[in-house]
Amino acid sequence: MRVNRILLSSALVVVALVIQVSVLARLHLPGAVPDLLLLTVLGLAMVYGHVGGALVGFGAGLLADLAPPADHAAGRYALVLCVTGYFAGLIRPENGRLKSATGPMAVVVAAAAGSTLLYAGVGALVGDTAARHVGLPGLLFSAALYDLLLAPFVVPGVMWLARRADNDPLTETGPAAKAGDISSGWLSSGTGLRVGDRRGGLGALKAKARTRSARVGRIKGVKRL
């Protein structure tokens, strides 16, 4: 990964972990805790691809494993987020655009449910049966619901920052560029227009206007003669 990607990913992961531990975990919501760290990994994976998503997921999960008040075996959540980031990165389109929010929303639901199942499965292998006592169906439903409600406020912003750090042309300012950005799929279907196309259209109109003015001038000159 490039240096700017490493720096941005590290900053976003640290901020997400601090907010999750100090704010979201203290809300005492029924069922699971909204996983801001998972959403951050998903947003980065859908820009960096499966390899970058796996690396970011592993680093984020390992940091969560070591940060207090973690009470599980180190490496457990790193494995979960590594696998989640890898598969989330596989849906990254080649042209960098998503036409609707359906795909990312489905990814969030699948990642929330899949990470919960994988976390509970790894816990069962190491003797942690807490998920059984809480109720796995309730955890799955609440995790998917909370993450889906939080995703529109997190994932598009993370994806925009990731593209901005990469100097991606899709992050240029302007309505057309925003419509072409991959994160705009959360808000609209996109128009497919580009800033360059609009500039080209204005240039053509100006050229036609100048041509017409020149023709009028020549006609007037002939009449005067």
Side-chain angles (χ1 to χ4, degrees):
M1 295 178 69
R2 288 178 285 183
V3 176
N4 55 345
R5 289 188 173 187
I6 296 175
L7 293 176
L8 177 64
S9 301
S10 302
L12 291 177
V13 165
V14 170
V15 171
L17 182 60
V18 170
I19 296 176
Q20 182 169 327
V21 172
S22 60
V23 178
L24 298 179
R26 298 187 179 185
L27 295 178
H28 301 292
L29 297 173
V33 176
D35 201 337
L36 185 61
L37 196 61
L38 173 65
L39 297 177
T40 303
V41 171
L42 290 179
L44 294 173
M46 285 190 281
V47 176
Y48 295 157
H50 60 284
V51 176
L55 293 175
V56 172
F58 179 80
L62 187 61
L63 183 62
D65 287 332
L66 300 177
D71 56 353
H72 54 267
R76 181 177 171 184
Y77 201 48
L79 174 62
V80 172
L81 288 187
C82 180
V83 174
T84 303
Y86 177 84
F87 283 104
L90 292 177
I91 72 156
R92 176 180 179 268
E94 294 296 333
N95 60 357
R97 291 185 178 89
L98 291 174
K99 294 184 178 181
S100 69
T102 305
M105 289 173 65
V107 171
V108 170
V109 174
S115 61
T116 303
L117 286 174
L118 184 58
Y119 186 84
V122 175
L125 293 177
V126 297
D128 185 0
T129 59
R132 296 180 182 178
H133 300 291
V134 176
L136 189 57
L139 284 177
L140 290 174
F141 177 78
S142 58
L145 178 62
Y146 296 153
D147 291 348
L148 188 60
L149 293 176
L150 190 61
F153 304 99
V154 178
V155 179
V158 170
M159 296 172 72
W160 183 84
L161 288 174
R163 290 200 170 279
R164 189 78 175 181
D166 280 353
N167 296 321
D168 196 302
L170 291 178
T171 58
E172 294 178 358
T173 58
K178 292 181 180 178
D181 192 352
I182 187 174
S183 62
S184 66
W186 291 87
L187 303 176
S188 64
S189 60
T191 61
L193 299 177
R194 292 186 180 180
V195 176
D197 297 335
R198 295 180 63 184
R199 289 178 179 174
L202 292 175
L205 292 176
K206 291 180 179 178
K208 290 181 180 179
R210 286 195 297 268
T211 303
R212 291 177 181 176
S213 299
R215 289 179 180 176
V216 171
R218 288 197 297 269
I219 292 174
K220 290 181 177 180
V222 172
K223 288 182 177 179
R224 289 174 181 176
L225 293 174

